[in-house]
Amino acid sequence: MKPVLLVIAHGSRDPRHAATVHALVRRVRSLRPDVRVETGFLDFNIPSVRGVLESLAAEGVRDVVALPLLLTRAFHAKADIPAVLRDAPPQLRIRQADVLGPSPLLLSALERRLYEAGLSPADKSSTGVVLASAGSTDPEAIAVIAEIAREWRHTGWCAVRPAFASASLPRTEDAVRELRALGCERVAVAPYVLAPGFLPDRIARGAAEADVLAEVLGAAPEVAGLVLSRFRAAAADVPLTRIA
C-alpha cells in the first residue's frame, strides 16, 4: 500500500494562506488520484499536523511521508517539523521528505507567474527581476536564495537580485531601485513565496515602484509536480522508518 502523503504547511491568520494551500493540494490530488493526500498546519489553522497524524493512526494507517511545504531548509524544516513528527503515534512509520527548494521547477513556476503578470519571453533581456523571499535568520536559507538569483540570471534576464521581506537585507524596494540604477528597461518583482500572507503583502508594498508584480507561486502546476517528485523520492527510500 502506498504511504499517505501529509503536506505540512506553516499556517497563517490570513485566510488566503490556507485557501491557497488547499488549492495546491487539490491540484496534487488531481495529478495522482491513487495517492491519499492530507494537509496539516503547524500553527494558526486546522487541522494541526498532530491532529492529522493521530487520526491517521486511529484509522490504521502505518506509512506516512511528511512533506514540508517550504521553499528553503530553514528553522521549520530543521526543528519544528521533526519535533512534531517525533511526537506522532508510535505505530506510524514516517519519512520526512525534502523541502521544495531549490528546484528548476520553481524557476519555471516563477517565470509562469511573471508571464501571467504581463511579461513575455521576449522581455527577458531588458527586464531586471527581484527574487523576493520571506527572509530567514538561517544563513543557509539566505545563501540558497542568493544562489537561485545567480542561477536565474543566467537564463537570459537583464539582472536578478534577491530581496527579503524580513530578517535579512536588501528589502524589495531597495532591490527595485538597484535594478533601475543598473539601467534595466523594466523591473519585475517575483515573490518566492507559496501563499499570501503578512510577508507577501510586505513584498507587494515594496514592489510599488516596479513595473510588474507577479502572483505568489500558489497552486502552479510546477509546484504540484514538485510536491509529487519529493513524495516519490521519499516513498522510494524504503523501508519507511520512524523519525528518531
Side-chain angles (χ1 to χ4, degrees):
M1 181 179 294
K2 292 183 179 66
V4 171
L5 168 56
L6 172 57
V7 174
I8 300 178
H10 183 274
S12 170
R13 292 186 178 90
D14 189 322
R16 298 173 298 166
H17 175 91
T20 302
V21 170
H22 290 311
L24 173 59
V25 169
R26 285 194 297 272
R27 174 156 262 168
V28 171
R29 289 184 181 130
S30 73
L31 294 173
R32 284 293 302 273
D34 59 316
V35 174
R36 179 176 176 183
V37 187
E38 299 291 341
T39 308
F41 295 90
L42 288 173
D43 207 353
F44 302 117
N45 302 105
I46 56 174
S48 68
V49 176
R50 186 185 309 277
V52 174
L53 291 171
E54 290 174 351
S55 294
L56 291 174
E59 289 179 32
V61 170
R62 291 297 174 262
D63 292 333
V64 176
V65 169
L67 188 146
L69 203 60
L70 301 169
L71 297 177
T72 58
R73 183 172 161 74
F75 182 79
H76 294 304
K78 294 177 179 178
D80 285 352
I81 291 175
V84 172
L85 298 181
R86 280 194 295 270
D87 289 338
Q91 61 266 45
L92 291 176
R93 296 184 293 269
I94 303 174
R95 169 74 63 188
Q96 182 175 331
D98 288 339
V99 297
L100 299 181
S103 168
L105 284 171
L106 291 176
L107 290 183
S108 296
L110 287 165
E111 295 203 354
R112 171 188 291 275
R113 294 302 190 224
L114 286 170
Y115 297 151
E116 290 171 348
L119 293 178
S120 73
D123 296 322
K124 292 183 76 168
S125 63
S126 57
T127 302
V129 179
V130 178
L131 179 68
S133 75
S136 174
T137 57
D138 189 309
E140 178 187 348
I142 297 303
V144 166
I145 299 299
E147 180 59 26
I148 292 170
R150 283 191 292 269
E151 290 182 4
W152 203 14
R153 164 68 182 83
H154 295 312
T155 66
W157 296 100
C158 174
V160 180
R161 293 290 186 271
F164 307 94
S166 68
S168 304
L169 295 173
R171 294 287 185 256
T172 302
E173 53 269 33
D174 298 324
V176 168
R177 293 180 189 124
E178 181 185 352
L179 290 171
R180 291 275 188 226
L182 281 176
C184 296
E185 186 176 316
R186 67 185 64 77
V187 176
V189 174
Y192 190 65
V193 293
L194 283 166
F198 177 76
L199 293 178
D201 283 349
R202 181 179 288 176
I203 290 171
R205 290 193 297 272
E209 297 179 15
D211 300 294
V212 173
L213 171 62
E215 293 292 333
V216 299
L217 294 169
E222 295 87 354
V223 179
L226 182 55
V227 167
L228 288 171
S229 176
R230 296 289 190 252
F231 167 71
R232 285 192 298 269
D237 190 8
V238 290
L240 294 175
T241 57
R242 182 171 169 79
I243 298 291

